[in-house]
């Protein structure tokens, strides 16, 4: 290769001077040569969303990748998402292109702190949002996504629930299932939790007719003024319900705007923070760039490995969730 490669001492990440078009050409060559599938979460930077084989939410992507005959999965997202892909495809090699792509919500609870919490509520059933580490999933009774959390909680025989780790999603579920006691862990996604209704209202002054769509990881004041509350995949379906609407205010990580604009080019999508999405910006989701994808394929890094015991436990909690019929 004629270009130069260097390693950044602070992060251990490789850097190349190849221009973007050449990087994309190399990525396309390598993914064929290595029989790899590239997954991009809805919150990734647009060039990565555009080159991915699949774009979507973390569970949907992991399910799609498991169905392919690819030997390798490159997951452009954050660490727990690549773990989910490994749990559902234990026979494939799964790579996370940038080791800095962590998740502060997932890291807010550990298997040890979950065990301590469970000890205070011995009769409760543990429902864990997929936004969690594989080890925490393995210690849980069942998982949920932001799309099926209400259905999952309703489906359980138990009326006493411990919901972890997102307090905003847990509160939203508790409101919709008032017949159950839902005790909520004190974790939150900083990107969603920072948004306030006041910012959304200010954004609305420029778009008074806009439909407001919020992710349930947002705080209560934001969810209360939203017309639709749904997961990222749910947002794509929600827009279809408003064919006459000219504009939408989107309360989630700003990467979602790219997906929405691609799918609905005749409608306008604006970030709910009124600052072109600069506050609704997850630094971990945005840390991965084209170079990282290229080097991930080239040098097969960084491979996700999990103990068999963790895979079995986490898969049990995920499969139990996947068996729950949707009721909304
Ligand atoms: O699990 C996911 O993909 C997340 C974090 C959000 C969503 O609603 O899709």
């Amino acid at each position: 290769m004629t270009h130069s490669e260097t390693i950044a001492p602070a992060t251990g990440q490789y850097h190349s001077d190849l221009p973007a078009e050449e990087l994309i050409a190399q990525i396309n060559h390598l993914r064929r040569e290595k029989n790899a599938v590239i997954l991009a979460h809805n919150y990734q930077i647009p060039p990565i969303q555009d080159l991915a084989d699949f774009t979507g939410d973390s569970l949907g992507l992991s399910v799609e990748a498991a169905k392919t005959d690819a030997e390798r999965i490159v997951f452009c997202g954050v660490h727990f998402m690549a773990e989910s892909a490994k749990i559902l495809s234990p026979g494939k090699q799964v790579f996370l292109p940038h080791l800095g792509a962590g998740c502060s919500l997932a890291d807010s609870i550990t298997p040890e702190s979950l065990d301590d919490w469970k000890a205070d509520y011995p009769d409760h059933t543990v429902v864990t949002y997929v936004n969690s580490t594989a080890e925490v999933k393995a210690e849980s009774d069942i998982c949920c996504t932001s799309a099926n959390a209400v259905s999952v909680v309703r489906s359980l025989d138990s009326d006493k629930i411990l919901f972890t780790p997102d307090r905003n999603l847990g509160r939203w579920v508790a409101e919709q299932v008032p017949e159950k006691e839902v005790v909520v862990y004190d974790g939150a996604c900083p990107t969603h939790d920072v948004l306030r209704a006041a910012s959304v209202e200010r954004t609305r002054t420029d778009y008074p007719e806009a439909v407001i769509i919020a992710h349930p990881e947002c705080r209560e004041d934001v969810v209360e003024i939203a017309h639709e509350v749904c997961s990222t995949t749910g947002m794509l379906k929600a827009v279809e319900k408003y064919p006459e609407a000219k504009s939408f205010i989107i309360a989630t990580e700003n990467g979602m705007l790219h997906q929405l604009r691609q799918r609905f080019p005749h409608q306008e999508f604006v970030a709910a923070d009124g600052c072109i999405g600069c506050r609704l910006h997850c630094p971990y989701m945005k840390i991965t760039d084209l170079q990282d994808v290229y080097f991930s394929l080239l040098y097969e890094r960084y491979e996700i490995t999990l103990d068999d015991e963790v895979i079995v436990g986490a898969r049990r909690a995920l499969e139990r969730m996947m068996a729950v019929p949707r009721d909304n």
Side-chain angles (χ1 to χ4, degrees):
M1 245 172 260
T2 53
H3 70 280
S4 76
E5 273 174 27
T6 51
I7 298 181
T11 60
Q13 290 298 118
Y14 284 86
H15 285 275
S16 152
D17 60 3
L18 283 177
E21 325 73 81
E22 185 54 27
L23 279 172
I24 292 169
Q26 291 290 339
I27 289 169
N28 288 336
H29 166 72
L30 285 167
R31 74 167 128 193
R32 280 192 298 275
E33 186 183 270
K34 305 221 171 185
N35 188 17
V37 67
I38 301 176
L39 309 179
H41 191 270
N42 288 322
Y43 298 157
Q44 290 291 288
I45 58 170
I48 289 186
Q49 294 193 31
D50 292 345
L51 68 74
D53 294 288
F54 299 100
T55 304
D57 63 77
S58 66
L59 186 77
L61 289 172
S62 300
V63 169
E64 286 305 324
K67 287 188 215 156
T68 69
D69 58 12
E71 292 162 72
R72 299 179 176 85
I73 299 172
V74 175
F75 204 126
C76 304
V78 292
H79 194 270
F80 79 82
M81 299 181 173
E83 286 187 340
S84 295
K86 183 69 185 174
I87 293 161
L88 296 188
S89 298
K92 299 184 196 288
Q93 280 187 294
V94 178
F95 301 98
L96 181 72
H98 199 304
L99 268 190
C103 171
S104 36
L105 172 59
D107 291 343
S108 68
I109 187 158
T110 62
E112 295 76 25
S113 65
L114 176 57
D115 279 347
D116 289 347
W117 198 43
K118 275 165 41 174
D120 293 337
Y121 297 91
D123 302 330
H124 288 57
T125 299
V126 177
V127 178
T128 293
Y129 184 30
V130 289
N131 205 322
S132 53
T133 64
E135 285 180 312
V136 167
K137 288 184 178 79
E139 294 290 315
S140 306
D141 294 302
I142 186 167
C143 287
C144 72
T145 65
S146 49
N148 66 19
V150 172
S151 312
V152 165
V153 169
R154 279 206 188 109
S155 76
L156 298 169
D157 290 337
S158 170
D159 284 341
K160 295 177 172 185
I161 310 295
L162 284 188
F163 191 96
T164 176
D166 191 280
R167 63 168 179 260
N168 292 326
L169 178 60
R171 185 214 65 254
W172 183 70
V173 170
E175 277 163 21
Q176 286 170 81
V177 194
E179 65 279 16
K180 300 205 182 204
E181 181 203 348
V182 183
V183 182
V184 176
Y185 188 78
D186 190 21
C189 161
T191 305
H192 287 91
D193 201 51
V194 78
L195 185 66
R196 297 293 185 277
S199 303
V200 185
E201 293 294 8
R202 185 178 293 157
T203 308
R204 192 168 22 193
T205 55
D206 290 333
Y207 300 90
E209 306 297 327
V211 177
I212 301 175
I213 305 184
H215 195 279
E217 287 180 31
C218 290
R219 292 167 73 105
E220 190 171 13
D221 58 333
V222 173
V223 164
E224 269 173 3
I225 59 167
H227 299 96
E228 301 284 340
V229 180
C230 43
S231 67
T232 56
T233 301
M235 289 183 183
L236 295 166
K237 294 189 196 125
V239 171
E240 287 173 2
K241 287 166 54 182
Y242 299 89
E244 304 300 325
K246 289 192 174 47
S247 54
F248 295 82
I249 293 174
I250 304 299
T252 194
E253 210 282 340
N254 64 31
M256 191 62 208
L257 296 172
H258 182 65
Q259 270 305 301
L260 290 162
R261 288 171 182 155
Q262 301 278 104
R263 305 261 188 119
F264 305 99
H266 304 299
Q267 288 163 301
E268 190 176 2
F269 298 93
V270 291
D273 59 2
C275 92
I276 61 164
C278 50
R279 280 184 285 271
L280 290 169
H281 170 101
C282 171
Y284 308 109
M285 276 290 180
K286 295 295 193 286
I287 204 170
T288 305
D289 62 18
L290 288 176
Q291 300 205 17
D292 301 320
V293 180
Y294 164 59
F295 287 118
S296 180
L297 282 160
L298 184 66
Y299 297 131
E300 302 195 359
R301 52 190 262 163
Y302 295 91
E303 186 167 2
I304 301 291
T305 54
L306 294 170
D307 289 347
D308 289 346
E309 211 178 301
V310 170
I311 292 187
V312 170
R315 196 178 169 111
R316 173 198 42 76
L318 282 173
E319 285 179 344
R320 189 174 171 200
M321 166 194 79
M322 291 193 270
V324 173
R326 287 286 300 278
D327 64 2
N328 56 9

